[in-house]
Amino acid sequence: MLFPTHLLAAAVVGRASRLAPLWLVVGSALPDVLDKPLATLGLTSLFHSVGHSVLLLVVIVPLALSGRAGLSAAVGWALHLALDAVHVVVNGRPGDAVFLLWPAVMPSDPLALPPGSFFLYYLWSPAFFVEVALWLAAAALAVRYWRAGTASHGTEWL
């Protein structure tokens, strides 16, 4: 999934739950904020590495137990990983979902494209259309909330 879609999905989950939307968005951003610079700088060979590994559960579980903000950030992180796993499966590369076990397991033929090249590769793929559908559904929900007069006002984002 593209980075903005991770943020959108986290905001929608925050709107539909009692979790803190701001912290859901922060948690959802973390995997890419960690991994994209590491790969761009050549410190890892994959763009799904440290931040995208379920082995981070040793950090995420205590974070989730720390309170509402920590739980929200942890759920955002898990949502990001789930969306990326769905993305690779929908695009016909289910074997690439082993990125979730990095560094214990490495994909045999990873799609190691930098963000710009990935975007061009991603356009018109099956997951791209799933992503467009998510954006259209979110837009429809936003219009519905706006028309009903239930748009967010104030600090409920925290």
Side-chain angles (χ1 to χ4, degrees):
M1 294 279 160
L2 299 176
F3 185 72
T5 304
H6 288 296
L7 305 181
L8 172 75
V12 168
V13 168
R15 179 76 178 166
S17 71
R18 293 189 168 277
L19 297 171
L22 173 65
W23 290 106
L24 274 158
V25 170
V26 167
S28 185
L30 278 176
D32 285 345
V33 169
L34 287 171
D35 289 349
K36 301 310 183 219
L38 290 174
T40 300
L41 294 171
L43 299 174
T44 63
S45 60
L46 299 174
F47 287 87
H48 285 158
S49 59
V50 179
H52 287 80
S53 177
V54 294
L55 301 179
L56 271 184
L57 282 171
V58 298
V59 174
I60 299 300
V61 169
L63 177 66
L65 297 173
S66 71
R68 182 173 179 254
L71 176 61
S72 299
V75 169
W77 171 79
L79 178 63
H80 183 116
L81 270 56
L83 288 173
D84 277 355
V86 166
H87 157 251
V88 297
V89 170
V90 167
N91 275 346
R93 296 180 63 91
D96 283 359
V98 299
F99 72 81
L100 294 168
L101 299 173
W102 185 94
V105 179
M106 298 287 281
S108 60
D109 181 24
L111 185 63
L113 296 173
S117 298
F118 172 78
F119 179 76
L120 295 175
Y121 164 83
Y122 186 60
L123 287 177
W124 314 117
S125 69
F128 172 77
F129 292 105
V130 170
E131 198 159 340
V132 168
L134 288 172
W135 278 94
L136 291 173
L141 282 173
V143 168
R144 183 174 150 213
Y145 281 123
W146 178 72
R147 285 187 177 164
T150 58
S152 174
H153 304 294
T155 60
E156 67 184 51
W157 279 90
L158 303 173

